[in-house]
Amino acid sequence: MLTPMVVARYPHATDAFTEGLQYLGGGTYIESTGEVEGSSVSGVRRVDLKTGRPQREVPTPLAGAFGEGVTVLNGAAYHLTWKDGVAFALDAVTLRETGRYRYQGEGWGITTDGKSLIMGSGSPELVWRDPRTFAVQKRLTVTDQGQPVRNLNELEYVQGSLYANIWLTDRIARIDPATGKVTAWIDVSALTREVSSRSTGMTFDDVANGIAFVPERGTLLLTGKRWPTLFEVRLPGLKAEGATTGAGRARGN
């Protein structure tokens, strides 16, 4: 069990029912949101890290769809829907739609290892997909001590490991993408307690969700659905890398 050490706190929009998160470099991250009614709306936004203010935002391109995860690979932002079986490719800078793909089942989290897209459906199974066609390349079942791990939600690929929020919990699983085995658990309950103590009207599903790697500092950005704070944290084993130069080189969701 690993405990993250908070090194910075940033404002986060409380209308953001966070489904996907990825750092793009230059103090900007991309975020996807869910919900189809009330103040929280499904969509994709580019956000300034220090202020939490959207620089650009668009609704999920399919009217009435519940937006899910987002990840950026080679200048394209891939955005899922929960139950509609449609993924969208958006220009990562302008957020204009450039393509659509169909898939079977639900869409939850999505990330990339720099070559393929890695997608989850809330089940213990992760699916690798071709970013050009969305065709399935391989499937992998995530297990902990031999038991399948369900409710894999937001995903992030970092330095050879997959990280996954577990829906409705204060835990993040670190997963070996070769075997599917959980190699560590990250306890984010202290972050949940902090935002709960500062917020009113939080509901049972305003849970931790959102993981983004900041390569130039070797840190993670962690937040949750409608949380007022985005935390920058350090974890054992993560190392700083060369500075990013924009969305085309950013990795993970």
Side-chain angles (χ1 to χ4, degrees), residues 58-189:
V58 297
T60 299
L62 182 64
F66 191 110
E68 283 285 348
V70 68
T71 194
V72 173
L73 177 63
N74 297 327
Y78 296 87
H79 176 42
L80 303 177
T81 55
W82 180 22
K83 294 184 175 181
D84 291 276
V86 180
F88 306 96
L90 311 174
D91 182 282
V93 176
T94 66
L95 302 184
R96 293 175 183 155
E97 184 182 346
T98 59
R100 294 191 181 195
Y101 307 92
R102 300 290 308 187
Y103 55 87
Q104 297 295 318
E106 294 185 357
W108 285 40
I110 188 169
T111 187
T112 176
D113 59 9
K115 296 180 180 179
S116 299
L117 303 173
I118 305 170
M119 176 180 161
S121 61
S123 74
E125 184 179 75
L126 297 176
V127 178
W128 274 247
R129 293 184 179 273
D130 187 319
R132 295 165 298 177
T133 64
F134 231 67
V136 174
Q137 296 172 319
K138 74 170 184 176
R139 301 177 185 272
L140 183 73
T141 298
V142 176
T143 61
D144 181 32
Q145 299 183 4
Q147 298 301 309
V149 178
R150 304 185 184 279
N151 293 330
L152 301 172
N153 204 356
E154 217 271 303
L155 303 172
E156 178 83 350
Y157 183 92
V158 184
Q159 296 178 344
S161 292
L162 281 163
Y163 291 72
N165 283 111
I166 308 301
W167 184 52
L168 297 180
T169 77
D170 290 321
R171 296 188 303 165
I172 294 172
R174 189 183 71 192
I175 303 160
D176 182 340
T179 65
K181 293 181 180 180
V182 173
T183 59
W185 289 99
I186 300 155
D187 178 7
V188 297
S189 59

Side-chain angles (χ1 to χ4, degrees), residues 196-214:
S196 297
S197 69
R198 296 174 47 211
S199 305
T200 58
M202 288 184 67
T203 66
F204 78 97
D205 58 354
D206 291 335
V207 293
N209 205 48
I211 312 165
F213 180 55
V214 183

Side-chain angles (χ1 to χ4, degrees), residues 20-22 24 28-32 44-46 70 72 77 95:
L21 191 72
Q22 177 176 342
L24 300 179
T28 300
Y29 62 87
I30 193 167
E31 181 175 33
S32 60
V44 178
R45 56 182 73 178
R46 289 176 60 100
V70 68
V72 173
L95 302 184

Side-chain angles (χ1 to χ4, degrees), residues 213-242:
F213 180 55
V214 183
E216 59 263 38
R217 295 194 288 275
T219 56
L220 294 179
L221 302 176
L222 303 179
T223 192
K225 300 173 184 289
R226 291 191 283 252
W227 281 19
T229 307
L230 185 150
F231 298 89
E232 184 170 0
V233 307
R234 295 195 184 280
L235 274 182
L238 293 184
K239 300 177 181 179
E241 301 178 358

